[in-house]
Amino acid sequence: MTILSPLTVAPGKADYLDYVNDSVIETKWLEEKFGAIAITEYDKPLIHHNLKDKPELKKDEVLIRNKVVGLNPIDWKSKKYRFAIYHFPWINGRESSGTIVQQGDKKSDLLGKNVFIASTSYRDNRTSTFQEYSVMNRNLVWELPESFTLENGATLGVGLVTAGVLITDSLGLSLQSSYGIEVFVIWGGSTVVGIYAAQLAKFLGFKVISISSLDTQSYLLNEIGVDKVVNRKKSFKDIKEDVYIYLKDLGLEGTGIKYAIDCVSKETSLQLIDLLIDSRNKSADKAEFVGVVAKPKDIESVKVRDLTIKKFHEDIEYGKKLVRETSKLLQDGKIKPVRHKLYSGGLEEIVIALNDLEVKGASAEKYVVKIV
Ligand SMILES: NC(=O)c1ccc[n+]([C@@H]2O[C@H](COP(=O)([O-])OP(=O)(O)OC[C@H]3O[C@@H](n4cnc5c(N)ncnc54)[C@H](OP(=O)(O)O)[C@@H]3O)[C@@H](O)[C@H]2O)c1
């Protein structure tokens, strides 16, 4: 008989986990429905909606009891600007941490494990996280490192996958290698994606320049480990000048920037490409660029790479490798969770936190909501 510690249950849903024995976990779906924060119409407020159908698990899938969910800008933008919503009721939410409570293969090896997830299958509402339970392929869940809280875990999903895919797939760099002194520039260095990309780039041996406001400078330099922060609020001419002075200090004037990513907008992407071209005028090979928000077209002198984060779930072997490699980096302390702003109080708190994210914005932090 295997005894797992009791799992926390949602208010009003006692006895979800009835018992665990050697090979089976029994679940009882009280009233045969479970809660979600759903979009029922574009013009109506988000509501706490009870879904009738328990998600069906395929053999290679697991069911996760979400405990802390992370928020992303797309979670409020998609409703407001009416995109990436394919039916009603619709559930957003792309990341969470929680506990595995059921396996599609009816085995029990993963039951009770604390994990975090990133949902890149935007059309499959079973994988969305603004709900009590989410479904995920068993190969695409990260076991929560022992030193991480569930709140830490909820900051990781989307930022880590986006940064991981852009480094290993878009730029084709290996997390098993170390690279020589080259410069890696991140416009939007204090976005969550930028913070995880900076940590991966540092791990690979690059000098990292983050272009961001000075409000987050000390966090980026002292806790995330970037090498240089350039004030994004200066004129573009002065931003360029600051970058070139740093390259000169490194002895890399004219050859310096090899990789650059933009996490902000089409406009800043074009400025970054301009900076990239000028900075590399003495180098024979082209610099490489990835736009997280927009992909500029027809740029001759820079290699503009695609970013396809759905590769994470469409190519399971690739996703599995990314989970394995980044798990090791998290365990070894090479990647730290981004700092977070915590909301507590159940599923409904997601609505309040989303509104704050829209109105106040995030500053080098992830909004997370404790729902259990
Ligand atoms: N393509 C994809 O698959 C994919 C995946 C994930 C995210 N995204 C997109 O990537 C973007 C970033 O997402 P996120 O969640 O990482 O963002 P986030 O953390 O919410 O970004 C907030 C940060 O943006 C910074 N910022 C705002 N305007 C800026 C500017 N003009 N220059 C530099 N920094 C600026 C602010 O930093 P300071 O004020 O401190 O400088 C703030 O800290 C979003 O648009 C998101 O939708 C795309």
Side-chain angles (χ1 to χ4, degrees):
M1 179 83 169
T2 310
I3 307 285
L4 295 182
S5 56
L7 301 176
T8 319
V9 292
K13 199 183 280 279
D15 302 333
Y16 171 75
L17 180 65
D18 286 338
Y19 64 86
V20 178
N21 67 22
D22 287 336
S23 59
V24 81
I25 183 166
E26 281 295 317
T27 55
K28 187 159 84 183
W29 294 81
L30 289 186
E31 304 164 77
E32 288 302 313
K33 60 190 179 190
F34 64 102
I37 291 298
I39 300 167
T40 50
E41 277 181 48
Y42 287 120
D43 294 325
K44 289 202 171 153
L46 286 165
I47 58 160
H48 186 157
H49 187 81
N50 281 320
L51 300 163
K52 284 196 209 89
D53 299 323
K54 168 183 160 184
E56 292 294 326
L57 293 186
K58 295 178 195 149
K59 226 174 168 187
D60 56 357
E61 291 177 332
V62 291
L63 187 69
I64 293 135
R65 175 42 165 130
N66 294 316
K67 292 184 175 166
V68 185
V69 300
L71 270 47
N72 285 284
I74 194 169
D75 296 324
W76 63 264
K77 284 183 188 170
S78 68
K79 178 173 183 291
K80 184 164 185 171
Y81 301 114
R82 303 184 176 208
F83 67 93
I85 291 173
Y86 301 96
H87 54 76
F88 295 120
W90 184 260
I91 303 161
N92 272 334
R94 306 264 63 91
E95 61 200 334
S96 69
S97 59
T99 306
I100 296 181
V101 293
Q102 197 174 35
Q103 295 181 218
D105 58 10
K106 308 277 185 236
K107 293 183 182 162
S108 61
D109 54 311
L110 299 177
L111 298 183
K113 283 192 187 300
N114 281 338
V115 295
F116 68 88
I117 56 171
S119 158
T120 50
S121 348
Y122 296 136
R123 287 173 189 250
D124 182 356
N125 267 206
R126 296 177 318 140
T127 70
S128 302
T129 58
F130 290 173
Q131 54 189 339
E132 289 172 343
Y133 301 93
S134 300
V135 175
M136 191 57 54
N137 183 292
R138 61 174 284 148
N139 297 298
L140 303 182
V141 297
W142 286 258
E143 198 166 339
L144 193 72
E146 262 178 31
S147 59
F148 283 39
T149 62
L150 286 162
E151 286 81 3
N152 294 150
T155 73
L156 284 154
V158 171
L160 185 61
V161 168
T162 309
V165 172
L166 81 79
I167 294 230
T168 62
D169 186 54
S170 309
L171 298 175
L173 300 167
S174 164
L175 294 177
Q176 304 295 331
S177 304
S178 185
Y179 295 84
I181 291 201
E182 296 269 19
V183 174
F184 194 110
V185 181
I186 304 171
W187 200 308
S190 57
T191 61
V192 171
V193 173
I195 288 169
Y196 287 120
Q199 296 186 77
L200 291 175
K202 281 304 297 173
F203 172 72
L204 295 178
F206 299 121
K207 292 279 181 195
V208 175
I209 302 177
S210 287
I211 303 176
S212 66
S213 74
L214 294 185
D215 302 341
T216 54
Q217 175 171 245
S218 106
Y219 175 67
L220 295 177
L221 289 173
N222 302 326
E223 297 197 38
I224 300 305
V226 310
D227 297 285
K228 172 84 184 160
V229 172
V230 171
N231 183 359
R232 74 168 173 90
K233 294 189 175 160
K234 286 185 170 180
S235 68
F236 180 50
K237 183 171 161 288
D238 288 346
I239 288 176
K240 251 180 157 173
E241 191 58 31
D242 283 2
V243 171
Y244 294 162
I245 289 170
Y246 181 66
L247 292 177
K248 201 170 169 190
D249 289 348
L250 292 175
L252 294 173
E253 199 183 10
T255 55
I257 303 175
K258 177 73 200 258
Y259 301 104
I261 66 168
D262 176 86
C263 304
V264 178
S265 66
K266 189 175 171 192
E267 291 68 34
T268 52
S269 291
L270 292 172
Q271 288 180 319
L272 185 50
I273 285 174
D274 183 45
L275 191 156
L276 211 48
I277 294 169
D278 281 2
S279 82
R280 211 164 168 81
N281 56 15
K282 291 187 198 150
S283 180
D285 64 327
K286 292 180 181 177
E288 302 192 32
F289 171 87
V290 187
V292 173
V293 178
K295 185 187 174 199
K297 288 186 191 143
D298 305 326
I299 311 284
E300 285 281 309
S301 34
V302 170
K303 291 177 187 164
V304 177
R305 304 297 193 193
D306 287 320
L307 172 65
T308 315
I309 67 163
K310 62 184 181 175
K311 181 164 183 178
F312 178 67
H313 71 270
E314 288 184 344
D315 179 347
I316 293 287
E317 282 311 309
Y318 171 81
K320 199 172 161 181
K321 183 168 178 233
L322 190 61
V323 169
R324 191 178 62 242
E325 292 183 339
T326 51
S327 290
K328 170 107 179 63
L329 296 179
L330 292 164
Q331 292 285 2
D332 294 349
K334 304 290 183 197
I335 305 175
K336 286 185 196 167
V338 69
R339 61 190 185 180
H340 61 264
K341 184 183 274 188
L342 177 64
Y343 291 73
S344 302
L347 272 177
E348 287 83 357
E349 201 70 17
I350 291 174
V351 182
I352 294 164
L354 264 184
N355 185 55
D356 284 357
L357 183 63
E358 177 181 353
V359 175
K360 298 178 190 160
S363 180
E365 66 197 340
K366 171 68 83 178
Y367 282 42
V368 301
V369 183
K370 196 167 180 295
I371 63 167
V372 176

